[in-house]
Amino acid sequence: AEVRAESESNFVRSVCVADQMSADNAASETQQLAQRVSEKMQVSSECGSRGLGEHSGERERALTLEERVALIVSVGEECVTEDGVRALLEKKPTPPICYDGFEPSGRMHIAQGIQKSVNVNKLTAAGCEFVFWVADWFAQLNHKMGGDLAKIQTVGKYFIEVWRACGMDMSKVTFLWASEEINRRPDEYWTRVMDIARRNKLPRVLRCSTIMGRAETDELSAAQILYPCMQCADIFFLKADICQLGMDQRKVNMLAREYCDDVRPKIKNKPIILSHHMMPGLKQGQEKMSKSNPDSAIFMEDSAAEVRTKIKKAFCPPAVVEGNPCLEYVKYLVLPKLGSIAIAKAASDGENERVVYDDYAALERDYLAEKVHPSELKPALADALNAMLQPVRDHFENDATAKELLKKVRQYRVTS
């Protein structure tokens, strides 16, 4: 079922199956299939290991069509649409192109690092190619790093170094810098931007302002009003088949699908919107990590001690799952990357025993039943996060180029 942008307040997971089974059963079947595929392909490899690296092509050839569909759909909290994914894989003779654009703005937090690397590895293992749009001009339009393009580009290089270190399979990944690519093909790009702008009323564009971390009611610069039209144009400029960004970017991605119907002639193959879950901050009520509040997020090169301190202070009420960031970290970061989490529990004889969870549903049940307490979950979570981050720390300590980039980035003041 195609979700229209006007129903933004009601996020719906689009699940389409040929035999018209119920949406709930279809979602369950897709999740189970994706889990089997992930196990088969060792998606949950240790951080820094080869994971889905050099032999991902061999594994790809071993997958059936439905396994590839399930693996792709498993990346998203919402997919618009699953039928579109299936048709894309059936009909396109060349590898599907997935895209994500990012503003280089300050240090990288763990969702941008670990969660993105896991998602990219799944998509490339399913036969896709991934394009990162290094949105340096966009960061400048949005006044990130004070609008200093040189600083923004330094941060972009730092981001790439983080992904190289944390286990992302780079064999099917390309990084394109917006400032360079737009200048190479300016007629194509700006013609599309202008066409998108003239076909949309200002209120529709303003609704997309949340993609920049702004509210519709904020006092926006003219550049920030242009920004959504440019981001929409990116999708067509890059010839992206799948937009794999966070749920916070959903509005502009849906604008691109609407544009396909508005333009003449219509664009038949609409981009598929695969929106991943947004990781919360560590403090109570923080729906999204914030770089401007260092205590609310784990950063990719945080020390082991910093990670332990932040997790120790994190909001984690006993027997409460909803809005519990520690459990979300386990569900969306630890289990997809490492495959399991070991929690030390006091046994009846006074000794500690380790209970290993490789299934989030089992951990959630035990947490609700208070068989697992925050005092047990937090140390296990900190250990797991540190295991994932250690290769990144080592890289930025031992590689001279990466070390210098991090030194510069840490000196920059993050601007919102």
Side-chain angles (χ1 to χ4, degrees):
E2 183 175 337
V3 184
R4 298 295 295 177
E6 273 60 34
S7 58
E8 287 148 1
S9 60
N10 243 335
F11 289 154
V12 179
R13 174 175 292 276
S14 172
V15 183
C16 304
V17 273
D19 63 358
Q20 301 299 306
M21 63 170 54
S22 71
D24 286 346
N25 288 339
S28 176
E29 180 177 284
T30 299
Q31 291 166 0
Q32 292 171 10
L33 182 56
Q35 178 62 30
R36 294 198 298 273
V37 174
S38 294
E39 292 171 356
K40 175 180 179 180
M41 303 185 67
Q42 299 176 346
V43 170
S44 301
S45 58
E46 292 187 4
C47 184
S49 70
R50 184 182 65 202
L52 294 174
E54 58 192 76
H55 298 304
S56 62
E58 297 174 11
R59 294 173 182 175
E60 169 204 326
R61 287 191 292 274
L63 295 179
T64 67
L65 171 64
E66 290 306 315
E67 286 174 333
R68 292 175 70 198
V69 171
L71 190 57
I72 290 171
V73 172
S74 73
V75 168
E77 183 169 276
E78 178 189 61
C79 178
V80 184
T81 67
E82 185 176 330
D83 274 353
V85 173
R86 188 174 289 104
L88 175 66
L89 296 180
E90 286 178 324
K91 296 176 182 179
K92 189 175 184 185
T94 55
I97 297 175
C98 303
Y99 125 91
D100 184 8
F102 67 92
E103 286 185 358
S105 56
R107 296 166 64 196
M108 182 186 287
H109 58 60
I110 198 167
Q112 289 175 299
I114 299 300
Q115 186 181 29
K116 178 52 68 175
S117 69
V118 169
N119 289 346
V120 169
N121 286 355
K122 284 184 177 183
L123 292 167
T124 56
C128 301
E129 294 182 355
F130 205 99
V131 174
F132 277 104
W133 188 236
V134 189
D136 50 355
W137 270 1
F138 291 77
Q140 189 176 37
L141 287 174
N142 204 15
H143 202 61
K144 296 299 176 71
M145 312 309 297
D148 187 322
L149 189 61
K151 289 182 179 179
I152 290 167
Q153 291 174 340
T154 296
V155 175
K157 294 173 185 177
Y158 149 79
F159 270 44
I160 295 171
E161 288 297 322
V162 174
W163 280 319
R164 290 187 194 283
C166 76
M168 183 182 289
D169 171 19
M170 295 293 192
S171 64
K172 296 182 181 179
V173 173
T174 302
F175 292 91
L176 298 177
W177 294 76
S179 58
E180 295 177 0
E181 297 303 316
I182 293 171
N183 279 332
R184 284 196 181 101
R185 293 147 56 198
D187 290 352
E188 178 185 350
Y189 187 81
W190 293 113
T191 300
R192 182 75 71 179
V193 171
M194 289 189 294
D195 194 48
I196 292 168
R198 74 182 186 86
R199 291 179 185 276
N200 286 278
K201 303 297 184 184
L202 183 58
R204 180 65 184 93
V205 174
L206 289 175
R207 286 210 304 276
C208 294
S209 58
T210 53
I211 68 173
M212 302 175 285
R214 313 292 174 179
E216 292 180 43
T217 55
D218 286 354
E219 185 176 351
L220 301 176
S221 68
Q224 289 168 325
I225 294 173
L226 180 64
Y227 187 118
C229 298
M230 291 175 62
Q231 184 168 328
C232 184
D234 293 343
I235 297 167
F236 304 100
F237 185 71
L238 297 171
K239 298 176 173 56
D241 300 300
I242 299 175
C243 302
Q244 204 295 281
L245 297 91
M247 287 294 290
D248 61 337
Q249 303 297 303
R250 180 183 186 277
K251 293 180 180 180
V252 75
N253 291 333
M254 294 305 299
L255 180 65
R257 288 180 64 89
E258 293 171 9
Y259 175 75
C260 291
D261 289 330
D262 293 339
V263 73
R264 294 294 181 269
K266 290 186 177 182
I267 298 174
K268 183 178 179 181
N269 297 318
K270 296 180 181 180
I272 293 157
I273 313 304
L274 191 61
S275 305
H276 63 251
H277 178 76
M278 298 300 296
M279 294 299 299
L282 294 172
K283 304 297 184 181
Q284 183 176 2
Q286 290 181 323
E287 295 183 357
K288 186 179 177 181
M289 291 184 189
S290 171
K291 293 182 181 180
S292 59
N293 183 356
D295 289 335
S296 75
I298 304 294
F299 293 96
M300 289 299 292
E301 72 294 325
D302 273 350
S303 69
E306 286 172 326
V307 171
R308 286 192 292 268
T309 298
K310 289 180 180 182
I311 295 300
K312 185 177 181 179
K313 294 179 179 179
F315 180 66
C316 189
V320 175
V321 171
E322 189 72 23
N324 188 324
C326 291
L327 286 173
E328 290 214 23
Y329 272 45
V330 174
K331 181 178 182 179
Y332 292 102
L333 299 176
V334 176
L335 295 184
K337 185 66 180 176
L338 300 182
S340 64
I341 185 169
I343 298 178
K345 296 179 63 62
S348 55
D349 59 4
E351 297 293 325
N352 281 344
E353 61 177 1
R354 292 167 65 83
V355 180
V356 177
Y357 291 92
D358 58 10
D359 173 55
Y360 176 75
L363 173 59
E364 185 178 283
R365 283 194 301 270
D366 283 356
Y367 194 82
L368 284 169
E370 298 193 73
K371 294 179 181 178
V372 175
H373 296 272
S375 60
E376 299 164 336
L377 176 64
K378 286 185 173 184
L381 174 59
D383 287 346
L385 296 177
N386 277 322
M388 292 190 286
L389 296 181
Q390 192 56 49
V392 180
R393 297 185 193 115
D394 292 343
H395 179 66
F396 280 95
E397 179 61 34
N398 300 323
D399 184 282
T401 300
K403 190 172 187 177
E404 182 62 24
L405 283 170
L406 178 58
K407 180 181 177 181
K408 290 180 179 179
V409 171
R410 280 180 164 162
Q411 292 171 348
Y412 296 159
R413 185 174 68 89
V414 178
T415 55
S416 59

